[in-house]
Amino acid sequence: MQAALITIGDEILSGNTVDTNSTYIAEKLKNIGIKTVQIFTISDEIETIKKTMKSAFEVADLVITTGGLGPTRDDKTKIAFKEFFNDELVLDEVTFEHLKQLLTKRNRESLVDLNKDQAVVLSKATILQNFNGTAPCQMVEENGKIAICLPGVPFEVKPFMKNQIIPFLQEKFDLPFIETRIISVVEYPESLLAKDISSWEDQLPKPITLSYLPIANRVKLKLTNVGFDLAKIKNELQIEVDKVLPIIKGKVIATNYEGIEDILHDLLIEKNLSLSVAESCTGGALSQLISSVSGASQYFVASIIPYDYQQKIKILGVLAETIKSKTVVSEEVAQEMSFGLMNLFQTDIALSTTGVAGPNSDEFNSEIGTVFYSIRVKDFEQTFRLFLPHLERKDFMSFVSQKVLQDLIAILVKTA
Amino acid sequence: MQAALITIGDEILSGNTVDTNSTYIAEKLKNIGIKTVQIFTISDEIETIKKTMKSAFEVADLVITTGGLGPTRDDKTKIAFKEFFNDELVLDEVTFEHLKQLLTKRNRESLVDLNKDQAVVLSKATILQNFNGTAPCQMVEENGKIAICLPGVPFEVKPFMKNQIIPFLQEKFDLPFIETRIISVVEYPESLLAKDISSWEDQLPKPITLSYLPIANRVKLKLTNVGFDLAKIKNELQIEVDKVLPIIKGKVIATNYEGIEDILHDLLIEKNLSLSVAESCTGGALSQLISSVSGASQYFVASIIPYDYQQKIKILGVLAETIKSKTVVSEEVAQEMSFGLMNLFQTDIALSTTGVAGPNSDEFNSEIGTVFYSIRVKDFEQTFRLFLPHLERKDFMSFVSQKVLQDLIAILVKTA
């Protein structure tokens, strides 16, 4: 089964908002064996929505729209659905009752009338109630094809998908499993990697596919298999992983998981190691990456963000003399930060970053895009330097955070 | 002038990667008066790429593709371009020379042969060299329409857009200005807000448009105007802002800026206030939001992330007795955290968060989705509680971070 997604809303076209809904929906669909073949992002115009629905149904049997259902007048999805399906709009009492209860629970009874329109739905539609907002989900089936319209707010979309739509689709259709394996390769230029594994890639049995996903200095080799026998497709993937590993050995830091933070999670629990962070130029990004995994409290003890360099001295015990002689963006300061940090929190691992994210330099006129980071694992310490002047501020923070964890994992894997 | 963007790559369709390129490109185009009317996300297949280019040119004069230019074989954009424009591929010596220099600079001379294909380009194309990767940008003009193909890596896309493509488009076309004003409204349900300002909205003179962008508990009212006389369109927007403000007064925290962190930046500098953060359940997200603005070092002193609750006692001086009697997720602990924090860093403002992001609870069995946060501004202190069980872990962290800054700003604006 193939799906197409339609994201409706000028806020994405004008570059205000990143479309995270499509990513979420596509991933959830893939997990139950439905492949998303196209995503359309369009403006809130009735004719455009109708035309796009037509195009979407040309490539897919399942079309999911997000957005354009709010109570304000810039929202036109419902009317487009009505015209597309030649239907009429009717007030649904069950939906209205649900809406009233929701608003009452939120002490917003006074808004019931203003939101009544949200209970007006297509007469042919199956309605799924919204427990996190006012617009319900409508599903219309016609000629074996399904259109589903969802609101645009991500925290409404997610529970709709997870709790209602995915179970509905699984119940209704006989869907294959889609399995993936991710091999994380580091310090291996993509072109060289592609050359070195080309004969292996050539022999991959159908329907297994391979893609290359670079992130920071890591390349994720992603193998995907599809079929109705889960054990069989998993086994087929394992066979291919076992074949390719000897070719790229020494460069592989994990053979599972997308996220570097997930790889770290399992590794630290397995090795029973605790971790602390002192980050300045990454401003919280490294800590957030680590803490984004549920269960991080098993190893993540604490972070210090000494954003004002004086706090490096005060909290972490970096020597004022070192900052004066080497400047705050230096190997020595990174080392003293991780040293002070390990003493402070008594963790097995201490990570520190010091650098200049830009676009403006610091009071020491450090070169923008420079970062030193120190990785301390018990008695072992290694300092790294990166120079990333081409990265914008947030990308710099995110790249450095990825790279620090990548290097930490490489160290932990080697010293296993 | 209207643009359409085509994002090529299975990694977005499979839900692996969020498409940030389109957001970036659309925003940059909008800033020079080019409106993005549609974004297509499609798979790496030659026929699909060609078909989509055709659709894209039906709605736009400018089509920009990203992705599908890497050295690995899952990349097919160049061939699609060649067939679409009925052109041939030729080795471009200038590009090859540039590529050799880039790889030499990176100590990757050995990869020159493997990447030589990257210098093979359409014979009709104008080439823009890539200073951050191996795939050049190609531009083809035909019948007054322009197709531009870019690599997919965001940190290659950004400098291409900013340094080469935007200046090229501005030089080539006589483009209007697009100006926006953002009014940030808090504690005002969207449906009620829409009702209260409906008569004002009705009288908005063309071509001014209004959209509602909700984020956390804030609604951003976005006014957009377009025209060739910058002073005039700015003034027209100011007139509308002045008209609507009296209707919604008391609920407005800013009349400029998208980001809550940008509003904070100006406010803290204007009021000469310093800030520190102690965050546990937000795991770094709040600090990262604050530090994501260049210049944050002027007011952001430091953060503590006491992820292990013992560190709340050790570093922030929270009383063990308070944690024992009230549990770690409590109003009292939030207050003691911000108190200890203000003492530690001697800042004017101290923010603290304590809660459970889920999906698993903590050792105190606190209710998942609960968070207390304390905002301390000199002698003033206020504690807030949120209950967000419907949010996934990262969304919880991000929502709480937004809301903390939103409430801080509301406090600062009121006590102005």
Coordinates of all heavy atoms in Angstrom, one line a residue, chain A residues 13 16 24 26 39 41 73 114-115 132 155 158 162 191 195 198 202 222 258 283 287-288 291-292 294 301-303 305 307-308 311 314 344-345 360 390-393 395, chain B residues 13 16 24 26 39 41 73 114-115 132 155 158 191 195 198 202 222 258 283 287-288 291-292 294 301-303 305 307-308 311 314 344-345 360 390-393 395:
Chain A
L13 N 5.1 27.1 3.7 CA 5.6 27.6 2.4 C 6.3 28.9 2.6 O 7.2 29.3 1.8 CB 4.4 27.9 1.5 CG 3.7 26.6 1.0 CD1 2.4 27.0 0.2 CD2 4.6 25.8 0.1
N16 N 8.3 29.7 7.8 CA 8.1 29.9 9.2 C 8.3 28.7 10.0 O 8.8 28.7 11.1 CB 6.7 30.4 9.5 CG 6.6 31.9 9.4 OD1 7.2 32.6 10.2 ND2 5.8 32.3 8.5
Y24 N 6.8 12.5 10.9 CA 6.2 11.7 11.9 C 5.3 10.7 11.3 O 5.3 9.5 11.5 CB 5.5 12.5 13.0 CG 4.9 11.7 14.1 CD1 5.7 11.4 15.2 CD2 3.6 11.2 14.0 CE1 5.2 10.6 16.2 CE2 3.1 10.4 15.1 CZ 3.9 10.1 16.2 OH 3.4 9.4 17.2
A26 N 5.0 9.7 8.1 CA 5.7 8.8 7.2 C 6.4 7.7 8.0 O 6.4 6.5 7.6 CB 6.7 9.5 6.3
I39 N 5.1 13.7 -0.8 CA 4.6 14.6 0.1 C 4.4 16.0 -0.6 O 5.3 16.4 -1.3 CB 5.5 14.9 1.3 CG1 5.8 13.5 2.0 CG2 4.9 15.9 2.3 CD1 7.0 13.6 3.0
T41 N 3.4 20.0 -0.2 CA 3.1 21.0 0.7 C 2.5 22.2 -0.1 O 3.1 22.7 -1.1 CB 4.4 21.5 1.4 OG1 5.0 20.4 2.0 CG2 4.2 22.6 2.4
R73 N -10.3 31.9 9.9 CA -10.8 31.8 8.5 C -9.7 31.5 7.5 O -10.0 31.4 6.3 CB -11.5 33.1 8.2 CG -10.6 34.3 8.1 CD -11.4 35.6 7.9 NE -12.0 36.0 9.1 CZ -12.8 37.1 9.2 NH1 -13.0 37.8 8.1 NH2 -13.3 37.5 10.3
L114 N -18.1 29.5 19.6 CA -17.1 29.9 18.7 C -16.5 28.7 18.0 O -16.0 28.8 16.8 CB -16.0 30.7 19.4 CG -16.3 32.1 19.8 CD1 -15.1 32.7 20.6 CD2 -16.5 32.9 18.5
N115 N -16.5 27.5 18.6 CA -15.9 26.4 18.0 C -16.9 25.4 17.5 O -16.5 24.3 17.0 CB -15.0 25.7 19.1 CG -13.7 26.4 19.3 OD1 -12.8 26.3 18.5 ND2 -13.6 27.2 20.4
N132 N -7.0 16.2 22.1 CA -6.0 17.3 22.4 C -6.3 18.6 21.7 O -5.4 19.4 21.6 CB -4.6 16.7 22.0 CG -4.3 15.5 22.8 OD1 -4.2 15.5 24.0 ND2 -4.3 14.3 22.1
F155 N 1.2 18.2 18.1 CA 0.8 17.4 19.3 C -0.6 16.9 19.2 O -1.0 16.1 20.1 CB 1.2 18.1 20.6 CG 0.3 19.3 21.0 CD1 -1.0 19.1 21.5 CD2 0.9 20.5 20.9 CE1 -1.7 20.2 21.9 CE2 0.1 21.6 21.3 CZ -1.2 21.5 21.8
K158 N 0.1 13.6 16.4 CA 0.8 12.4 16.9 C -0.1 11.4 17.6 O -0.1 10.2 17.2 CB 2.0 12.8 17.8 CG 3.1 13.4 17.0 CD 4.3 13.9 17.9 CE 5.4 14.5 17.1 NZ 6.5 14.9 17.9
K162 N -0.9 7.6 16.3 CA -0.4 6.5 17.1 C -1.6 5.7 17.7 O -1.6 4.5 17.6 CB 0.4 7.1 18.3 CG 1.4 6.1 18.9 CD 2.4 6.9 19.8 CE 1.7 7.7 20.8 NZ 2.7 8.4 21.8
S191 N 32.1 8.6 -0.6 CA 32.4 8.1 -1.9 C 33.3 6.9 -1.8 O 33.2 5.9 -2.6 CB 33.1 9.2 -2.7 OG 34.3 9.7 -2.1
K195 N 32.4 3.0 -2.8 CA 33.2 2.1 -3.7 C 33.6 0.8 -3.0 O 33.5 -0.3 -3.6 CB 34.5 2.9 -4.0 CG 35.5 2.1 -4.8 CD 36.8 2.9 -5.1 CE 38.0 2.1 -5.3 NZ 38.8 1.9 -4.1
S198 N 30.7 -1.7 -3.0 CA 29.9 -1.7 -4.2 C 29.6 -3.2 -4.6 O 28.5 -3.4 -5.0 CB 30.5 -0.9 -5.3 OG 31.7 -1.5 -5.7
D202 N 25.9 -4.6 -4.9 CA 25.4 -5.2 -6.2 C 24.6 -6.5 -6.0 O 23.7 -6.8 -6.7 CB 26.5 -5.4 -7.2 CG 27.0 -4.2 -7.8 OD1 26.2 -3.2 -7.8 OD2 28.2 -4.1 -8.2
K222 N 21.7 2.4 5.6 CA 20.4 1.9 6.0 C 19.9 0.8 5.1 O 19.7 1.1 3.9 CB 19.4 3.1 6.0 CG 18.0 2.7 6.4 CD 17.1 3.9 6.4 CE 15.7 3.5 6.8 NZ 14.8 4.6 6.6
E258 N 19.0 4.5 14.8 CA 19.2 5.8 14.1 C 20.1 6.8 14.8 O 21.1 7.3 14.3 CB 17.9 6.5 13.9 CG 16.9 5.9 13.0 CD 17.3 6.2 11.6 OE1 17.8 7.4 11.3 OE2 17.3 5.3 10.7
G283 N 25.8 25.3 24.2 CA 24.7 26.0 24.8 C 23.5 25.2 25.3 O 22.4 25.7 25.5
S287 N 23.6 18.4 26.0 CA 22.8 17.8 27.1 C 21.4 17.4 26.6 O 20.9 16.4 26.9 CB 22.6 18.9 28.2 OG 23.9 19.3 28.6
Q288 N 20.9 18.3 25.7 CA 19.5 17.9 25.2 C 19.5 16.7 24.4 O 18.6 15.9 24.4 CB 19.0 19.1 24.4 CG 17.4 19.1 24.5 CD 16.7 19.7 23.4 OE1 17.4 20.5 22.6 NE2 15.5 19.5 23.3
S291 N 19.7 13.8 26.8 CA 18.5 13.6 27.6 C 17.3 13.4 26.8 O 16.2 13.1 27.4 CB 18.3 14.9 28.5 OG 18.0 16.0 27.7
S292 N 17.4 13.5 25.5 CA 16.2 13.2 24.6 C 15.8 11.8 24.6 O 14.7 11.5 24.2 CB 16.5 13.7 23.2 OG 17.5 12.9 22.6
S294 N 14.5 8.5 26.6 CA 13.9 8.1 27.8 C 14.8 7.1 28.5 O 15.4 6.2 27.9 CB 12.6 7.5 27.6 OG 12.0 7.1 28.7
V301 N 24.2 12.3 34.8 CA 24.2 12.8 36.1 C 23.8 14.3 36.1 O 22.9 14.7 36.8 CB 25.5 12.5 36.9 CG1 25.5 13.2 38.2 CG2 25.7 11.0 37.0
A302 N 24.6 15.1 35.4 CA 24.4 16.6 35.4 C 25.2 17.2 34.3 O 26.1 16.7 33.8 CB 24.7 17.1 36.8
S303 N 24.7 18.5 34.0 CA 25.5 19.3 33.1 C 25.7 20.7 33.8 O 24.9 21.2 34.6 CB 24.8 19.6 31.8 OG 24.8 18.4 31.0
I305 N 26.5 24.6 32.2 CA 26.7 25.4 31.0 C 27.3 26.7 31.4 O 26.5 27.6 31.8 CB 25.3 25.6 30.2 CG1 24.7 24.2 30.0 CG2 25.6 26.4 28.9 CD1 23.3 24.3 29.3
Y307 N 28.2 29.6 30.5 CA 28.1 30.4 29.3 C 29.0 31.7 29.4 O 29.6 32.1 28.4 CB 26.6 30.8 29.0 CG 26.3 30.9 27.5 CD1 26.3 29.8 26.7 CD2 26.1 32.2 26.9 CE1 26.1 29.9 25.3 CE2 25.9 32.3 25.6 CZ 25.9 31.2 24.8 OH 25.7 31.3 23.5
D308 N 28.9 32.3 30.6 CA 29.9 33.4 30.9 C 31.2 32.7 31.3 O 31.2 31.8 32.2 CB 29.3 34.2 32.0 CG 30.3 35.3 32.5 OD1 31.4 35.3 32.1 OD2 29.8 36.2 33.2
Q311 N 32.4 31.6 34.8 CA 31.8 30.5 35.4 C 32.6 29.2 35.2 O 32.5 28.2 36.0 CB 30.4 30.2 35.0 CG 29.5 31.4 35.3 CD 29.4 31.9 36.7 OE1 29.6 31.1 37.6 NE2 29.2 33.2 37.0
K314 N 34.8 29.6 38.1 CA 34.1 29.5 39.4 C 33.6 28.1 39.7 O 33.8 27.5 40.8 CB 33.0 30.5 39.4 CG 32.3 30.6 40.8 CD 31.3 31.7 40.8 CE 30.3 31.5 41.9 NZ 29.1 32.3 41.8
L344 N 33.8 17.3 40.1 CA 32.6 17.9 40.7 C 31.5 16.8 40.8 O 30.9 16.7 41.8 CB 32.1 19.0 39.8 CG 30.9 19.8 40.3 CD1 31.0 20.4 41.6 CD2 30.5 20.9 39.2
F345 N 31.3 16.0 39.7 CA 30.2 15.1 39.7 C 30.6 13.6 39.9 O 29.8 12.8 40.0 CB 29.4 15.2 38.5 CG 28.7 16.6 38.4 CD1 28.9 17.5 37.3 CD2 27.7 16.9 39.3 CE1 28.3 18.7 37.3 CE2 27.0 18.1 39.2 CZ 27.3 19.0 38.2
N360 N 28.9 36.1 15.7 CA 29.9 37.0 16.2 C 30.9 36.3 17.1 O 30.6 35.3 17.7 CB 29.1 38.1 17.1 CG 28.0 38.8 16.2 OD1 28.3 39.3 15.1 ND2 26.8 38.7 16.7
H390 N 31.6 27.3 8.2 CA 30.5 27.3 7.3 C 29.1 27.0 7.9 O 28.1 27.2 7.2 CB 30.8 26.3 6.1 CG 31.0 24.9 6.7 ND1 32.1 24.6 7.4 CD2 30.3 23.8 6.6 CE1 32.1 23.3 7.7 NE2 30.9 22.8 7.2
L391 N 29.1 26.6 9.2 CA 27.8 26.3 9.8 C 27.2 27.4 10.5 O 27.8 28.2 11.2 CB 28.0 25.1 10.8 CG 28.5 23.8 10.2 CD1 28.4 22.7 11.3 CD2 27.6 23.4 9.0
E392 N 25.9 27.5 10.3 CA 25.1 28.6 11.0 C 25.0 28.1 12.5 O 25.2 27.0 12.8 CB 23.7 28.7 10.4 CG 23.8 29.2 9.0 CD 22.5 29.8 8.5 OE1 21.5 29.6 9.1 OE2 22.6 30.5 7.4
R393 N 24.8 29.1 13.3 CA 24.8 28.9 14.8 C 24.2 27.6 15.3 O 24.8 26.8 15.9 CB 24.1 30.1 15.4 CG 24.2 30.2 16.9 CD 23.7 31.5 17.5 NE 23.8 31.5 18.9 CZ 24.8 31.9 19.6 NH1 25.9 32.3 18.9 NH2 24.9 32.0 20.9
D395 N 23.2 25.0 13.6 CA 23.7 23.8 13.0 C 25.1 23.5 13.6 O 25.5 22.3 13.7 CB 23.9 24.1 11.5 CG 22.6 24.3 10.8 OD1 21.6 23.8 11.3 OD2 22.5 25.0 9.8
Chain B
L13 N 10.9 10.8 2.8 CA 9.7 10.0 2.6 C 9.6 8.9 3.6 O 8.5 8.4 4.0 CB 9.6 9.5 1.2 CG 9.4 10.5 0.1 CD1 9.5 9.8 -1.3 CD2 8.1 11.2 0.2
N16 N 12.8 9.5 8.1 CA 14.1 9.5 8.8 C 14.6 10.9 9.1 O 15.2 11.2 10.1 CB 15.2 8.9 7.9 CG 15.4 7.5 8.1 OD1 15.7 7.0 9.1 ND2 15.1 6.7 7.0
Y24 N 14.3 26.6 4.9 CA 15.3 27.6 4.8 C 15.2 28.3 3.4 O 15.2 29.6 3.4 CB 16.7 26.9 4.9 CG 17.8 27.9 4.9 CD1 18.3 28.5 6.0 CD2 18.5 28.2 3.7 CE1 19.3 29.4 6.0 CE2 19.5 29.1 3.6 CZ 19.9 29.7 4.8 OH 21.0 30.6 4.8
A26 N 12.6 28.6 1.4 CA 11.4 29.3 1.3 C 11.5 30.7 2.0 O 11.1 31.7 1.5 CB 10.2 28.5 1.8
I39 N 5.7 22.8 -2.4 CA 6.9 22.0 -2.1 C 6.5 20.6 -2.4 O 5.5 20.1 -1.9 CB 7.3 22.2 -0.7 CG1 7.6 23.6 -0.3 CG2 8.6 21.3 -0.4 CD1 7.8 23.9 1.2
T41 N 7.9 16.7 -2.2 CA 8.9 15.8 -1.7 C 8.7 14.4 -2.4 O 7.6 13.8 -2.3 CB 8.8 15.6 -0.2 OG1 8.8 16.9 0.4 CG2 9.9 14.8 0.4
R73 N 25.1 5.7 -5.6 CA 24.3 5.4 -6.7 C 22.8 5.6 -6.5 O 22.0 5.4 -7.4 CB 24.5 3.9 -7.2 CG 24.1 2.9 -6.3 CD 24.5 1.5 -6.8 NE 25.9 1.3 -6.6 CZ 26.5 0.2 -7.0 NH1 25.8 -0.8 -7.6 NH2 27.8 0.0 -6.7
L114 N 37.2 9.1 -7.5 CA 35.9 8.7 -7.0 C 34.8 9.7 -7.2 O 33.7 9.5 -7.3 CB 35.9 8.2 -5.6 CG 36.6 6.9 -5.3 CD1 36.7 6.6 -3.8 CD2 35.8 5.7 -6.0
N115 N 35.3 11.0 -7.1 CA 34.3 12.1 -7.1 C 34.3 12.8 -8.5 O 33.6 13.8 -8.6 CB 34.6 13.1 -6.0 CG 34.2 12.6 -4.6 OD1 33.0 12.6 -4.3 ND2 35.1 12.0 -3.9
N132 N 31.6 23.8 0.2 CA 31.4 23.0 1.4 C 31.1 21.5 1.1 O 30.7 20.8 1.9 CB 30.3 23.6 2.2 CG 30.5 25.0 2.6 OD1 31.5 25.3 3.3 ND2 29.8 25.9 2.0
F155 N 24.0 22.0 5.3 CA 25.1 23.0 5.4 C 25.8 23.3 4.1 O 26.6 24.2 4.0 CB 26.0 22.6 6.5 CG 26.9 21.5 6.3 CD1 28.0 21.6 5.5 CD2 26.8 20.3 7.0 CE1 28.9 20.5 5.3 CE2 27.6 19.2 6.8 CZ 28.7 19.3 5.9
K158 N 22.6 26.0 2.5 CA 22.5 27.3 3.1 C 23.5 28.3 2.5 O 23.1 29.4 2.1 CB 22.7 27.2 4.6 CG 21.5 26.6 5.3 CD 21.6 26.5 6.8 CE 20.4 25.8 7.4 NZ 20.4 25.7 8.9
S191 N -9.7 30.9 18.9 CA -11.0 31.1 18.4 C -11.6 32.4 18.9 O -12.2 33.2 18.2 CB -12.0 30.0 18.8 OG -12.0 29.8 20.2
K195 N -12.3 35.9 16.8 CA -13.6 36.6 16.8 C -13.4 38.1 17.2 O -14.0 39.0 16.5 CB -14.5 36.0 17.9 CG -15.8 36.7 18.1 CD -16.7 35.9 19.2 CE -17.6 36.9 19.9 NZ -17.1 37.4 21.2
S198 N -12.1 40.2 14.4 CA -12.6 39.9 13.0 C -13.0 41.2 12.2 O -12.7 41.2 11.0 CB -13.8 39.0 13.1 OG -14.9 39.6 13.8
D202 N -11.3 42.1 8.7 CA -12.2 42.3 7.5 C -11.7 43.6 6.7 O -11.9 43.6 5.5 CB -13.6 42.5 7.9 CG -14.3 41.2 8.2 OD1 -13.8 40.1 7.8 OD2 -15.3 41.2 9.0
K222 N 0.5 37.0 12.2 CA 1.5 37.4 11.3 C 0.8 38.2 10.1 O 0.0 37.7 9.4 CB 2.1 36.2 10.7 CG 3.2 36.5 9.7 CD 3.8 35.2 9.2 CE 4.9 35.5 8.2 NZ 5.4 34.3 7.6
E258 N 9.7 36.6 15.4 CA 9.2 35.2 15.4 C 9.4 34.5 16.7 O 8.5 34.0 17.4 CB 9.9 34.4 14.4 CG 9.6 34.6 13.0 CD 8.2 34.0 12.6 OE1 7.9 32.9 13.1 OE2 7.5 34.7 11.9
G283 N 16.0 19.1 30.3 CA 17.3 18.5 29.9 C 18.2 19.3 29.0 O 19.0 18.7 28.3
S287 N 18.0 26.0 28.0 CA 19.2 26.7 27.8 C 19.5 26.8 26.3 O 20.0 27.9 25.8 CB 20.4 25.9 28.4 OG 20.1 25.7 29.8
Q288 N 19.2 25.8 25.6 CA 19.5 25.8 24.1 C 18.7 26.9 23.4 O 19.1 27.6 22.5 CB 19.4 24.5 23.5 CG 20.3 24.3 22.3 CD 19.8 23.4 21.2 OE1 18.9 22.6 21.5 NE2 20.4 23.4 20.1
S291 N 20.3 30.2 24.3 CA 21.6 30.4 23.7 C 21.6 30.3 22.2 O 22.6 30.6 21.5 CB 22.6 29.4 24.2 OG 22.3 28.1 23.7
S292 N 20.4 30.0 21.6 CA 20.4 29.9 20.1 C 20.4 31.3 19.4 O 20.6 31.3 18.2 CB 19.1 29.1 19.7 OG 18.0 29.9 20.0
S294 N 22.4 34.7 18.7 CA 23.7 35.2 18.8 C 23.6 36.5 19.7 O 22.7 37.3 19.6 CB 24.2 35.6 17.4 OG 25.4 36.3 17.5
V301 N 24.2 33.8 31.8 CA 25.4 33.6 32.6 C 25.7 32.1 32.7 O 26.9 31.7 32.4 CB 25.2 34.2 34.0 CG1 26.4 33.8 34.9 CG2 25.1 35.7 33.9
A302 N 24.8 31.3 33.0 CA 25.1 29.9 33.2 C 23.8 29.1 33.4 O 22.8 29.6 33.8 CB 26.1 29.6 34.3
S303 N 24.0 27.8 33.2 CA 22.9 26.8 33.5 C 23.5 25.6 34.3 O 24.6 25.3 34.1 CB 22.3 26.2 32.3 OG 21.5 27.2 31.6
I305 N 22.2 21.6 34.9 CA 21.2 20.6 34.6 C 21.4 19.5 35.6 O 22.2 18.6 35.4 CB 21.3 20.1 33.2 CG1 21.3 21.3 32.2 CG2 20.2 19.1 32.8 CD1 21.5 20.9 30.7
Y307 N 20.4 16.6 36.5 CA 19.5 15.5 35.9 C 19.3 14.4 37.0 O 18.2 13.9 37.1 CB 20.2 14.9 34.7 CG 19.1 14.5 33.7 CD1 18.3 15.4 33.0 CD2 18.9 13.1 33.5 CE1 17.4 15.0 32.1 CE2 18.0 12.7 32.6 CZ 17.2 13.6 31.9 OH 16.2 13.2 31.1
D308 N 20.3 14.1 37.7 CA 20.2 13.2 38.9 C 19.7 14.1 40.0 O 20.4 15.1 40.3 CB 21.5 12.6 39.2 CG 21.5 11.7 40.4 OD1 20.5 11.8 41.2 OD2 22.5 11.0 40.7
Q311 N 21.8 16.0 42.6 CA 22.6 17.2 42.3 C 21.8 18.5 42.6 O 22.3 19.6 42.7 CB 23.0 17.2 40.8 CG 23.8 16.0 40.4 CD 25.1 15.8 41.3 OE1 25.6 16.8 41.8 NE2 25.5 14.6 41.5
K314 N 23.0 19.0 46.0 CA 24.4 19.3 46.1 C 24.8 20.6 45.5 O 25.5 21.4 46.1 CB 25.2 18.2 45.3 CG 26.7 18.3 45.5 CD 27.4 17.1 44.9 CE 28.8 17.4 44.6 NZ 29.5 16.4 43.7
L344 N 23.7 31.2 43.6 CA 25.0 30.6 43.0 C 25.6 31.6 42.0 O 26.8 31.8 42.0 CB 24.7 29.3 42.4 CG 25.8 28.5 41.8 CD1 26.9 28.2 42.8 CD2 25.3 27.2 41.1
F345 N 24.7 32.1 41.1 CA 25.2 32.9 40.0 C 25.0 34.4 40.1 O 25.5 35.1 39.3 CB 24.6 32.3 38.6 CG 25.1 31.0 38.3 CD1 24.2 29.9 38.2 CD2 26.5 30.7 38.1 CE1 24.6 28.6 37.8 CE2 26.9 29.4 37.7 CZ 26.0 28.4 37.6
N360 N 8.5 7.3 30.7 CA 8.6 6.6 31.9 C 8.6 7.5 33.1 O 9.1 8.7 32.9 CB 9.8 5.7 31.9 CG 9.8 4.7 30.8 OD1 8.8 4.0 30.5 ND2 10.9 4.7 30.0
H390 N 0.0 14.5 27.1 CA -0.2 14.2 25.7 C 1.0 14.4 24.8 O 1.0 14.0 23.7 CB -1.4 14.9 25.1 CG -1.3 16.4 25.3 ND1 -1.3 17.0 26.5 CD2 -1.1 17.4 24.4 CE1 -1.2 18.3 26.4 NE2 -1.0 18.6 25.1
L391 N 2.0 15.1 25.4 CA 3.2 15.4 24.6 C 4.2 14.3 24.7 O 4.6 13.8 25.7 CB 3.8 16.7 25.1 CG 2.9 18.0 24.8 CD1 3.7 19.2 25.1 CD2 2.4 18.1 23.4
E392 N 4.8 14.0 23.5 CA 6.0 13.1 23.5 C 7.2 13.9 24.1 O 7.2 15.1 24.2 CB 6.3 12.7 22.1 CG 5.1 11.9 21.5 CD 5.5 11.1 20.3 OE1 6.6 11.3 19.7 OE2 4.7 10.2 20.0
R393 N 8.1 13.1 24.5 CA 9.3 13.6 25.3 C 9.9 14.9 24.8 O 10.0 15.9 25.5 CB 10.3 12.4 25.3 CG 11.5 12.7 26.2 CD 12.4 11.5 26.3 NE 13.5 11.7 27.2 CZ 13.5 11.6 28.5 NH1 12.4 11.3 29.1 NH2 14.6 11.9 29.2
D395 N 8.8 16.9 22.5 CA 7.8 18.0 22.4 C 7.5 18.6 23.7 O 7.3 19.8 23.9 CB 6.5 17.5 21.8 CG 6.7 17.0 20.3 OD1 7.6 17.5 19.7 OD2 6.0 16.0 19.9

